[in-house]
Amino acid sequence: MAVQTTRGLGRGLGSILGEEVPTDTLRKPVGYVNKQIAGSSDTVKPGADVLRIPIDMIEPNPFQPRKNFNPESLDELAESIRTLGLIQPVTVRKISNGKYQIISGERRFRASRIAGFTMIPAYVRDTDDRGMLEMAIVENIQREDLDPIEVALSYQRLIDECNLTQEQMADRIGKKRASVTNYLRLLKLPAKVQHDLKVGLVSVGHAKAILGVDDTAVQEQLCDLVVRNGISVRQLEDKIRKCLSDREREYSDKSDEDLPEEYYKVLEFLGRFFGDKISLKRNKAGKGSITLRFTSDDEMRNLLKAIESTVLK
């Protein structure tokens, strides 16, 4: 386990990634042109397929707990949607007068309106029949033509809308939990990287390698590098390894050997469970990381019990 902080990759980043060349000209907005279009007279069967719905047929949810949306943040999202398309569809339900109401994704809905979209992709859900929804999503996952982001979004819908844990979901779809977790991690990538993964400019292997970096800006630069130069997953991993190595060397040079008293208390507490298999790094600015090396599940269980008895009681 490691406590990570967001840091740049050091002075050598430019030489490792190469000269920054714009790659946005290679990107086109994603669309759902082959999906059924829901119109005012259409009979829509709720399920897992993505439908393109006229935006003026969609209404905000009056029970939306979030009332304030930052205008600058919405404008930034709108610009991203103009460039890349709406990668993650909203979820709606059918209401009276042939209209639809937002269940989730109101921020994306608002940004799409700002972006000037007249149609947006959406999942249509029957909120009164969770069992049918679950079956529809699971059936959709079994299709062979889904891109990695569509698979990840389907997994996330099972968790959010069907109230399933990752373990329960893995059982439903016949996948290992580790595979499910890896797909869900793809949704943590920046929109630009998700777009390129969705349209096939980068592979799942590339995306997994990029997830090894915790800086969003650098993740996008690495993605640009793959799109621009067509490097393999192995070549990308080598570059990331070099970047991280340089970063740790630079970070180590700035480290401060004298730790505040509370740090020693943390080390003493964790040392009861992991002995000398723990390391802590901290620089003068107070940023750092803790690394724990464990040799059995029992060590983690004992730590969890201690945390639950002191912190969570």
Side-chain angles (χ1 to χ4, degrees), residues 9 16 212-214 239-250:
L9 290 185
I16 294 171
V213 178
D214 54 13
K239 289 183 179 293
I240 291 175
R241 196 175 298 112
K242 179 68 165 59
C243 289
L244 295 176
S245 176
D246 287 352
R247 179 180 72 171
E248 290 303 322
R249 189 181 304 110
E250 179 180 345

Side-chain angles (χ1 to χ4, degrees), residues 6-70:
T6 302
R7 304 191 293 270
L9 290 185
R11 294 182 295 271
L13 177 61
S15 62
I16 294 171
L17 297 185
E19 182 182 356
E20 188 170 344
V21 179
T23 56
D24 287 343
T25 55
L26 300 175
R27 297 184 171 95
K28 296 181 180 179
V30 297
Y32 295 87
V33 295
N34 295 322
K35 303 294 184 179
Q36 178 182 351
I37 296 177
S40 58
S41 62
D42 293 333
T43 300
V44 178
K45 181 180 179 181
D49 281 339
V50 178
L51 306 178
R52 294 175 64 233
I53 299 179
I55 201 166
D56 58 6
M57 291 176 58
I58 301 176
E59 298 179 355
N61 190 333
F63 304 104
Q64 161 68 249
R66 183 178 181 182
K67 300 301 181 184
N68 298 317
F69 295 84
N70 183 283

